[in-house]
Amino acid sequence: RKEVEQDPGPFNVPEGATVAFNCTYSNSASQSFFWYRQDCRKEPKLLMSVYSSGNEDGRFTAQLNRASQYISLLIRDSKLSDSATYLCVVNEDQFYFGTGTSLTVIP
Amino acid sequence: EPEVTQTPSHQVTQMGQEVILRCVPISNHLYFYWYRQILGQKVEFLVSFYNNEISEKSEIFDDQFSVERPDGSNFTLKIRSTKLEDSAMYFCASNAGSSSYEQYFGPGTRLTVT
């Protein structure tokens, strides 16, 4: 059973593009949801928590759909520095990480 | 900005040896975690620790592993009788607790078992 599933990509997009990632989770009792980014051989860094009402932080927008059990992340106006792996994380009794979606922003 | 620190950054050990990985969580945080990430694979939860005891552990966290908070600042992961497949990046994380589950990760310790 895969608790958290993500499309591994890779997503290769030009600078300035809008890109969206989705993530599905299997346990409807999951409590908290997050997006992290991870650069190569570095630690995961919290990007944003995901709330039922949806939330936005600058160019990043996260949405949670509990009925369909998926989480999304939208990145607008992509920058070269957005190139990373984006990890979907779901908290039940413990924290479950997706395998990550790789994004490369091309000049 | 406060951060989680980990030492050493890289540990090389021989199969069968014991290693201790060290972490200093953010000072006012209450919950502490260990994760591992085998190269090219996803981050896997090992254990969470709160109020000086284990609160959750995964199937990976068997008798080979133990955690300790020996003083007010350090949080350690001990791996006994290391195996080749224990080679991985080990991340420590902490969060403030209360209503926040946002975790902050340390830079990791790369463990290589030869």
Side-chain angles (χ1 to χ4, degrees), chain B residues 89-108:
Chain B
M89 198 73 168
Y90 288 82
F91 293 110
C92 173
S94 68
N95 78 31
S98 184
S99 59
S100 170
Y101 292 97
E102 296 180 347
Q103 295 183 51
Y104 296 87
F105 282 73

PDB file of all heavy atoms in Angstrom, chain B residues 89-108:
ATOM      1  N   MET B  89      21.086   8.343   4.036  1.00  0.00           N
ATOM      2  CA  MET B  89      21.108   9.649   4.669  1.00  0.00           C
ATOM      3  C   MET B  89      20.135   9.599   5.830  1.00  0.00           C
ATOM      4  O   MET B  89      18.991   9.132   5.653  1.00  0.00           O
ATOM      5  CB  MET B  89      20.677  10.693   3.642  1.00  0.00           C
ATOM      6  CG  MET B  89      21.043  12.084   3.981  1.00  0.00           C
ATOM      7  SD  MET B  89      22.813  12.377   3.782  1.00  0.00           S
ATOM      8  CE  MET B  89      22.769  14.150   3.897  1.00  0.00           C
ATOM      9  N   TYR B  90      20.569  10.012   7.002  1.00  0.00           N
ATOM     10  CA  TYR B  90      19.696  10.031   8.163  1.00  0.00           C
ATOM     11  C   TYR B  90      19.422  11.486   8.544  1.00  0.00           C
ATOM     12  O   TYR B  90      20.343  12.255   8.809  1.00  0.00           O
ATOM     13  CB  TYR B  90      20.330   9.269   9.333  1.00  0.00           C
ATOM     14  CG  TYR B  90      20.326   7.777   9.090  1.00  0.00           C
ATOM     15  CD1 TYR B  90      21.311   7.186   8.296  1.00  0.00           C
ATOM     16  CD2 TYR B  90      19.332   6.964   9.616  1.00  0.00           C
ATOM     17  CE1 TYR B  90      21.295   5.820   8.037  1.00  0.00           C
ATOM     18  CE2 TYR B  90      19.310   5.598   9.370  1.00  0.00           C
ATOM     19  CZ  TYR B  90      20.295   5.035   8.577  1.00  0.00           C
ATOM     20  OH  TYR B  90      20.272   3.683   8.315  1.00  0.00           O
ATOM     21  N   PHE B  91      18.144  11.821   8.545  1.00  0.00           N
ATOM     22  CA  PHE B  91      17.734  13.186   8.868  1.00  0.00           C
ATOM     23  C   PHE B  91      17.055  13.219  10.229  1.00  0.00           C
ATOM     24  O   PHE B  91      16.208  12.374  10.534  1.00  0.00           O
ATOM     25  CB  PHE B  91      16.744  13.719   7.835  1.00  0.00           C
ATOM     26  CG  PHE B  91      17.320  13.928   6.469  1.00  0.00           C
ATOM     27  CD1 PHE B  91      16.949  13.099   5.420  1.00  0.00           C
ATOM     28  CD2 PHE B  91      18.197  14.968   6.213  1.00  0.00           C
ATOM     29  CE1 PHE B  91      17.449  13.294   4.134  1.00  0.00           C
ATOM     30  CE2 PHE B  91      18.713  15.168   4.942  1.00  0.00           C
ATOM     31  CZ  PHE B  91      18.342  14.323   3.901  1.00  0.00           C
ATOM     32  N   CYS B  92      17.397  14.220  10.990  1.00  0.00           N
ATOM     33  CA  CYS B  92      16.696  14.532  12.224  1.00  0.00           C
ATOM     34  C   CYS B  92      15.762  15.694  11.929  1.00  0.00           C
ATOM     35  O   CYS B  92      16.075  16.551  11.085  1.00  0.00           O
ATOM     36  CB  CYS B  92      17.731  14.920  13.282  1.00  0.00           C
ATOM     37  SG  CYS B  92      17.059  15.537  14.820  1.00  0.00           S
ATOM     38  N   ALA B  93      14.630  15.732  12.586  1.00  0.00           N
ATOM     39  CA  ALA B  93      13.699  16.845  12.422  1.00  0.00           C
ATOM     40  C   ALA B  93      13.064  17.158  13.770  1.00  0.00           C
ATOM     41  O   ALA B  93      13.035  16.314  14.675  1.00  0.00           O
ATOM     42  CB  ALA B  93      12.618  16.505  11.387  1.00  0.00           C
ATOM     43  N   SER B  94      12.553  18.375  13.879  1.00  0.00           N
ATOM     44  CA  SER B  94      11.838  18.730  15.100  1.00  0.00           C
ATOM     45  C   SER B  94      10.662  19.629  14.749  1.00  0.00           C
ATOM     46  O   SER B  94      10.643  20.263  13.686  1.00  0.00           O
ATOM     47  CB  SER B  94      12.776  19.414  16.105  1.00  0.00           C
ATOM     48  OG  SER B  94      13.193  20.693  15.661  1.00  0.00           O
ATOM     49  N   ASN B  95       9.681  19.639  15.613  1.00  0.00           N
ATOM     50  CA  ASN B  95       8.628  20.638  15.478  1.00  0.00           C
ATOM     51  C   ASN B  95       8.204  21.138  16.852  1.00  0.00           C
ATOM     52  O   ASN B  95       8.495  20.533  17.881  1.00  0.00           O
ATOM     53  CB  ASN B  95       7.458  20.161  14.607  1.00  0.00           C
ATOM     54  CG  ASN B  95       6.502  19.232  15.301  1.00  0.00           C
ATOM     55  OD1 ASN B  95       6.286  19.294  16.500  1.00  0.00           O
ATOM     56  ND2 ASN B  95       5.905  18.341  14.528  1.00  0.00           N
ATOM     57  N   ALA B  96       7.520  22.263  16.818  1.00  0.00           N
ATOM     58  CA  ALA B  96       7.216  22.969  18.056  1.00  0.00           C
ATOM     59  C   ALA B  96       6.116  22.299  18.860  1.00  0.00           C
ATOM     60  O   ALA B  96       5.952  22.566  20.043  1.00  0.00           O
ATOM     61  CB  ALA B  96       6.833  24.419  17.740  1.00  0.00           C
ATOM     62  N   GLY B  97       5.349  21.422  18.217  1.00  0.00           N
ATOM     63  CA  GLY B  97       4.249  20.782  18.923  1.00  0.00           C
ATOM     64  C   GLY B  97       3.059  21.712  19.022  1.00  0.00           C
ATOM     65  O   GLY B  97       2.883  22.608  18.209  1.00  0.00           O
ATOM     66  N   SER B  98       2.229  21.501  20.007  1.00  0.00           N
ATOM     67  CA  SER B  98       0.974  22.232  20.155  1.00  0.00           C
ATOM     68  C   SER B  98       0.121  21.934  18.928  1.00  0.00           C
ATOM     69  O   SER B  98      -0.103  20.799  18.598  1.00  0.00           O
ATOM     70  CB  SER B  98       1.254  23.721  20.327  1.00  0.00           C
ATOM     71  OG  SER B  98       0.050  24.424  20.559  1.00  0.00           O
ATOM     72  N   SER B  99      -0.291  22.918  18.180  1.00  0.00           N
ATOM     73  CA  SER B  99      -1.129  22.654  17.013  1.00  0.00           C
ATOM     74  C   SER B  99      -0.327  22.598  15.727  1.00  0.00           C
ATOM     75  O   SER B  99      -0.892  22.431  14.646  1.00  0.00           O
ATOM     76  CB  SER B  99      -2.191  23.740  16.902  1.00  0.00           C
ATOM     77  OG  SER B  99      -1.565  25.001  16.778  1.00  0.00           O
ATOM     78  N   SER B 100       0.983  22.738  15.823  1.00  0.00           N
ATOM     79  CA  SER B 100       1.797  22.771  14.610  1.00  0.00           C
ATOM     80  C   SER B 100       2.472  21.443  14.362  1.00  0.00           C
ATOM     81  O   SER B 100       3.122  20.900  15.248  1.00  0.00           O
ATOM     82  CB  SER B 100       2.867  23.862  14.731  1.00  0.00           C
ATOM     83  OG  SER B 100       3.797  23.754  13.679  1.00  0.00           O
ATOM     84  N   TYR B 101       2.312  20.922  13.167  1.00  0.00           N
ATOM     85  CA  TYR B 101       3.031  19.719  12.771  1.00  0.00           C
ATOM     86  C   TYR B 101       4.124  20.034  11.768  1.00  0.00           C
ATOM     87  O   TYR B 101       4.675  19.130  11.159  1.00  0.00           O
ATOM     88  CB  TYR B 101       2.050  18.712  12.175  1.00  0.00           C
ATOM     89  CG  TYR B 101       1.080  18.140  13.175  1.00  0.00           C
ATOM     90  CD1 TYR B 101      -0.201  18.660  13.321  1.00  0.00           C
ATOM     91  CD2 TYR B 101       1.457  17.074  13.984  1.00  0.00           C
ATOM     92  CE1 TYR B 101      -1.081  18.139  14.248  1.00  0.00           C
ATOM     93  CE2 TYR B 101       0.577  16.545  14.917  1.00  0.00           C
ATOM     94  CZ  TYR B 101      -0.694  17.080  15.042  1.00  0.00           C
ATOM     95  OH  TYR B 101      -1.564  16.559  15.953  1.00  0.00           O
ATOM     96  N   GLU B 102       4.453  21.273  11.598  1.00  0.00           N
ATOM     97  CA  GLU B 102       5.478  21.644  10.634  1.00  0.00           C
ATOM     98  C   GLU B 102       6.845  21.237  11.163  1.00  0.00           C
ATOM     99  O   GLU B 102       7.274  21.685  12.220  1.00  0.00           O
ATOM    100  CB  GLU B 102       5.436  23.150  10.362  1.00  0.00           C
ATOM    101  CG  GLU B 102       4.128  23.596   9.714  1.00  0.00           C
ATOM    102  CD  GLU B 102       4.078  25.073   9.439  1.00  0.00           C
ATOM    103  OE1 GLU B 102       4.929  25.805   9.957  1.00  0.00           O
ATOM    104  OE2 GLU B 102       3.180  25.502   8.698  1.00  0.00           O
ATOM    105  N   GLN B 103       7.510  20.411  10.395  1.00  0.00           N
ATOM    106  CA  GLN B 103       8.789  19.887  10.828  1.00  0.00           C
ATOM    107  C   GLN B 103       9.931  20.608  10.122  1.00  0.00           C
ATOM    108  O   GLN B 103       9.833  20.941   8.946  1.00  0.00           O
ATOM    109  CB  GLN B 103       8.889  18.397  10.494  1.00  0.00           C
ATOM    110  CG  GLN B 103       7.901  17.547  11.232  1.00  0.00           C
ATOM    111  CD  GLN B 103       8.101  16.087  10.927  1.00  0.00           C
ATOM    112  OE1 GLN B 103       9.206  15.558  11.028  1.00  0.00           O
ATOM    113  NE2 GLN B 103       7.040  15.426  10.564  1.00  0.00           N
ATOM    114  N   TYR B 104      11.016  20.769  10.852  1.00  0.00           N
ATOM    115  CA  TYR B 104      12.210  21.386  10.312  1.00  0.00           C
ATOM    116  C   TYR B 104      13.334  20.362  10.400  1.00  0.00           C
ATOM    117  O   TYR B 104      13.566  19.776  11.452  1.00  0.00           O
ATOM    118  CB  TYR B 104      12.534  22.669  11.074  1.00  0.00           C
ATOM    119  CG  TYR B 104      11.429  23.687  10.883  1.00  0.00           C
ATOM    120  CD1 TYR B 104      10.316  23.695  11.703  1.00  0.00           C
ATOM    121  CD2 TYR B 104      11.488  24.596   9.828  1.00  0.00           C
ATOM    122  CE1 TYR B 104       9.281  24.584  11.493  1.00  0.00           C
ATOM    123  CE2 TYR B 104      10.457  25.495   9.624  1.00  0.00           C
ATOM    124  CZ  TYR B 104       9.353  25.477  10.451  1.00  0.00           C
ATOM    125  OH  TYR B 104       8.316  26.355  10.228  1.00  0.00           O
ATOM    126  N   PHE B 105      13.984  20.190   9.267  1.00  0.00           N
ATOM    127  CA  PHE B 105      14.962  19.124   9.137  1.00  0.00           C
ATOM    128  C   PHE B 105      16.385  19.634   9.323  1.00  0.00           C
ATOM    129  O   PHE B 105      16.720  20.753   8.918  1.00  0.00           O
ATOM    130  CB  PHE B 105      14.855  18.481   7.750  1.00  0.00           C
ATOM    131  CG  PHE B 105      13.713  17.527   7.615  1.00  0.00           C
ATOM    132  CD1 PHE B 105      12.411  17.991   7.531  1.00  0.00           C
ATOM    133  CD2 PHE B 105      13.931  16.162   7.594  1.00  0.00           C
ATOM    134  CE1 PHE B 105      11.341  17.114   7.422  1.00  0.00           C
ATOM    135  CE2 PHE B 105      12.871  15.267   7.481  1.00  0.00           C
ATOM    136  CZ  PHE B 105      11.574  15.751   7.392  1.00  0.00           C
ATOM    137  N   GLY B 106      17.221  18.778   9.881  1.00  0.00           N
ATOM    138  CA  GLY B 106      18.647  19.038   9.891  1.00  0.00           C
ATOM    139  C   GLY B 106      19.252  18.663   8.550  1.00  0.00           C
ATOM    140  O   GLY B 106      18.582  18.071   7.698  1.00  0.00           O
ATOM    141  N   PRO B 107      20.547  18.970   8.367  1.00  0.00           N
ATOM    142  CA  PRO B 107      21.205  18.736   7.083  1.00  0.00           C
ATOM    143  C   PRO B 107      21.500  17.268   6.800  1.00  0.00           C
ATOM    144  O   PRO B 107      21.868  16.921   5.682  1.00  0.00           O
ATOM    145  CB  PRO B 107      22.498  19.540   7.202  1.00  0.00           C
ATOM    146  CG  PRO B 107      22.768  19.581   8.664  1.00  0.00           C
ATOM    147  CD  PRO B 107      21.429  19.630   9.337  1.00  0.00           C
ATOM    148  N   GLY B 108      21.334  16.414   7.791  1.00  0.00           N
ATOM    149  CA  GLY B 108      21.515  14.986   7.582  1.00  0.00           C
ATOM    150  C   GLY B 108      22.906  14.486   7.895  1.00  0.00           C
ATOM    151  O   GLY B 108      23.886  15.248   7.894  1.00  0.00           O
TER     152      GLY B 108
END
